[in-house]
């Protein structure tokens, strides 16, 4: 029962979504402390977090959808995340 829940795509998506949010805040805090510039911290955290989210979703959540090229998947992900609009 627990193994079935762990393998569920929705549960994995929820877990990695929370992990991505935590990653964003920690990364933004660290960059803000290092640069003392909240604008740079927010921008860098946004870019790095979107790349992190793409990686973990591709690797751990949607493991059966690797038939298209990595470039196509990345561009599609960036457009969907509104980074390339």
């Amino acid at each position: 029962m627990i193994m079935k829940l762990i393998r569920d795509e929705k549960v994995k998506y929820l877990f990695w979504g929370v992990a991505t949010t935590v990653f964003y805040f920690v990364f933004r805090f660290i960059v803000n402390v290092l640069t003392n510039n909240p604008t740079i911290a927010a921008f860098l955290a946004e870019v790095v977090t979107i790349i992190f989210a793409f990686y973990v979703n591709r690797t751990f959540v949607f493991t059966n959808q690797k038939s298209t090229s990595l470039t196509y998947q990345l561009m599609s992900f960036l457009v969907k995340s509104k980074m390339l609009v």
Side-chain angles (χ1 to χ4, degrees), residues 52-72:
F52 174 79
F54 170 75
Y55 175 76
V56 297
N57 282 322
R58 183 176 189 277
T59 305
F60 301 114
V61 179
F62 305 113
T63 56
N64 59 349
Q65 299 177 1
K66 295 182 181 178
S67 60
T68 57
S69 73
L70 178 62
T71 305
Y72 177 80

Side-chain angles (χ1 to χ4, degrees), residues 13-31:
Y13 190 75
L14 177 65
F15 172 80
W16 287 108
V18 171
T20 300
T21 303
V22 170
F23 179 85
Y24 171 81
F25 284 114
V26 169
F27 190 87
R28 184 174 176 175
F29 175 77
I30 292 169
V31 173

